[in-house]
């Protein structure tokens, strides 16, 4: 099968319009429609249905996108960097991921990085921002995705901003169409992060401004433990939707947006001045992370807003 047709299919799916996809790809709309028709003929299935706004994937089209987007991207990256000095890097890279980002980011990011650096191996640490910063300063982690922290030893470049939501078990009455006020959310029995950075800081600062106290019952830095307790109906939690999307989709959890105020956590890629990776390698790692995050945000798989790329700066707290 012609991989160009798969690329065209994925672009149409991303844009939701054959006309817009043709503009992005720089080819004529009739030619793109023809390539799509040939792909559907090869597969013997309809990939899109027409709507007033453009096109949307059929169930068969959604299955094809899910099974081809990652492998096709990896193939493109492998070809693109096959002759690059970056591709010849032969060492172990130590990466850190916020535990709340693991479900949405770990698989696509590691797939892309292994394609860009085919001779490298990877070690992945997960944890809170405090734990990952400590690991970077000790040299246990080369680069990490963290929340901003007031530590001048850490250089940080912001990637995205995502709102937090109130999460409850399957028997809770939470509804995505019925926002919950912050003061009402923190009056419920909560499990909250033990770490003072990231979500913990957002909760405490919002509570101070509202002159209320967070009614937490349990603290932990384990997102897996949080989700287990929430699913069992023992407590509620305040988390980014990306951390529990699968649980919500499967009916194991329910959620509602937070309002008055909206709580937004920021995530960026960070490193320290003691980093031993060559500059070219670190630039490529950062670019790969941003590209992967941008793809997830644009597709809707990461409910967040991508922030403009900026210079490396010492991290600052919210």
């Amino acid at each position: 099968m012609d991989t160009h047709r798969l690329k065209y299919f994925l672009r149409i799916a991303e844009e939701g319009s054959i006309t817009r996809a043709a503009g992005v790809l720089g080819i004529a709309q009739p030619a793109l429609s023809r390539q799509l028709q040939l792909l559907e003929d090869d597969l013997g299935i309809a990939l899109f249905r027409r709507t007033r706004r453009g096109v949307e994937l059929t169930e068969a089209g959604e299955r094809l996108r899910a099974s081809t987007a990652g492998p096709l991207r990896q193939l493109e990256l492998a070809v693109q960097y096959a002759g690059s000095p970056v591709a010849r890097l032969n060492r172990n890279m130590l990466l850190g991921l916020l535990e709340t980002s693991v479900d949405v980011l770990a698989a696509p990011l590691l797939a892309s990085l292994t394609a860009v650096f085919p001779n490298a191996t990877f070690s992945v640490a997960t944890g809170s921002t405090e734990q990952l910063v400590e690991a970077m300063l000790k040299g246990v982690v080369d680069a990490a995705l963290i929340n901003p922290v007031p530590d001048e030893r850490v250089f940080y470049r912001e990637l995205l901003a995502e709102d937090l939501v109130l999460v409850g078990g399957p028997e809770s009455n939470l509804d995505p169409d019925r926002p919950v006020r912050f003061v009402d959310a923190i009056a419920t029995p909560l499990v909250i992060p033990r770490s003072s950075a990231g979500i913990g800081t957002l909760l405490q600062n919002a509570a101070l401004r509202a002159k209320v106290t967070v009614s937490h019952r349990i603290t932990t830095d384990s997102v897996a433990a949080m989700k287990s307790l929430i699913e069992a109906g023992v407590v509620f939690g305040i988390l980014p939707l990306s951390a529990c999307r699968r649980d919500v989709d499967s009916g194991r959890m329910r959620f509602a947006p937070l309002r008055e105020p909206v709580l937004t956590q920021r995530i960026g890629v960070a490193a320290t001045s003691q980093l031993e990776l060559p500059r070219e390698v670190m630039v490529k790692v950062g670019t790969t992370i941003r590209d992967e995050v941008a793809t997830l945000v644009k597709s809707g798989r990461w409910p967040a807003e991508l922030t403009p790329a900026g210079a490396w700066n010492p991290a600052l707290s919210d």
Side-chain angles (χ1 to χ4, degrees):
M1 183 181 295
D2 190 341
T3 57
H4 281 88
R5 288 178 189 160
L6 287 175
K7 283 178 58 178
Y8 296 158
F9 157 72
L10 292 171
R11 176 56 66 181
I12 295 169
E14 189 171 318
E15 298 296 331
S17 163
I18 295 176
T19 301
R20 286 197 298 271
V24 172
L25 292 166
I27 62 179
Q29 188 268 339
L32 182 58
S33 295
R34 175 60 179 161
Q35 291 299 314
L36 175 60
Q37 183 63 57
L38 290 172
L39 178 60
E40 290 181 322
D41 291 346
D42 284 345
L43 297 173
I45 54 176
L47 298 173
F48 294 96
R49 64 175 66 90
R50 294 192 176 277
T51 69
R52 291 181 180 180
R53 300 181 188 179
V55 294
E56 63 181 22
L57 288 165
T58 62
E59 288 187 15
E62 189 61 61
R63 286 194 297 271
L64 181 63
R65 177 169 70 170
S67 62
T68 60
L72 188 60
R73 176 168 173 75
Q74 293 165 42
L75 176 61
E76 290 173 345
L77 288 170
V79 171
Q80 182 179 355
Y81 292 103
S84 167
V86 167
R88 294 194 290 272
L89 182 75
N90 187 2
R91 60 155 283 182
N92 187 53
M93 270 194 263
L94 311 165
L95 299 177
L97 295 178
L98 283 172
E99 200 175 351
T100 55
S101 71
V102 169
D103 275 1
V104 68
L105 181 62
L109 176 59
L110 269 295
S112 291
L113 286 173
T114 52
V116 173
F117 302 98
N119 294 317
T121 58
F122 296 87
S123 295
V124 180
T126 64
S128 66
T129 289
E130 287 179 338
Q131 292 166 336
L132 295 175
V133 168
E134 183 179 357
M136 281 191 290
L137 294 174
K138 289 181 177 178
V140 179
V141 164
D142 290 321
L145 261 72
I146 63 169
N147 304 118
V149 291
D151 193 323
E152 293 186 355
R153 296 171 296 176
V154 175
F155 292 89
Y156 171 91
R157 180 178 288 168
E158 190 167 285
L159 293 172
L160 61 81
E162 60 179 336
D163 293 343
L164 304 183
V165 298
L166 180 65
V167 188
E171 303 303 318
S172 68
N173 63 354
L174 298 180
D175 188 323
D177 294 324
R178 295 205 308 266
V180 176
R181 294 190 310 154
F182 173 74
V183 292
D184 295 328
I186 63 170
T188 63
L190 291 173
V191 55
I192 65 172
R194 191 167 55 87
S195 170
S196 62
I199 294 174
T201 298
L202 290 173
L203 292 178
Q204 293 301 331
N205 287 347
L208 284 172
R209 286 192 291 269
K211 298 180 180 179
V212 293
T213 301
V214 178
S215 177
H216 69 273
R217 179 173 292 175
I218 301 168
T219 63
T220 177
D221 276 334
S222 167
V223 173
M226 282 186 187
K227 294 201 290 185
S228 178
L229 292 165
I230 293 167
E231 183 182 347
V234 177
V235 287
F236 290 80
I238 294 178
L239 290 166
L241 185 56
S242 59
C244 47
R245 177 87 264 181
R246 294 180 188 175
D247 307 280
V248 169
D249 290 345
S250 66
R252 296 193 300 271
M253 293 183 189
R254 297 172 64 89
F255 82 95
L258 284 175
R259 294 292 184 268
E260 300 178 34
V262 173
L263 298 187
T264 303
Q265 80 158 343
R266 300 182 180 277
I267 295 176
V269 61
T272 71
S273 59
Q274 288 79 36
L275 183 65
E276 294 182 358
L277 287 173
R279 184 180 183 280
E280 181 183 7
V281 169
M282 187 54 205
V283 168
K284 192 62 228 168
V285 169
T287 301
T288 303
I289 292 173
R290 172 165 281 275
D291 288 348
E292 213 51 67
V293 167
T295 297
L296 290 167
V297 170
K298 188 167 185 179
S299 70
R301 284 174 285 171
W302 197 333
E305 180 179 344
L306 197 68
T307 54
W312 290 91
N313 291 310
L316 300 174
S317 66
D318 288 338

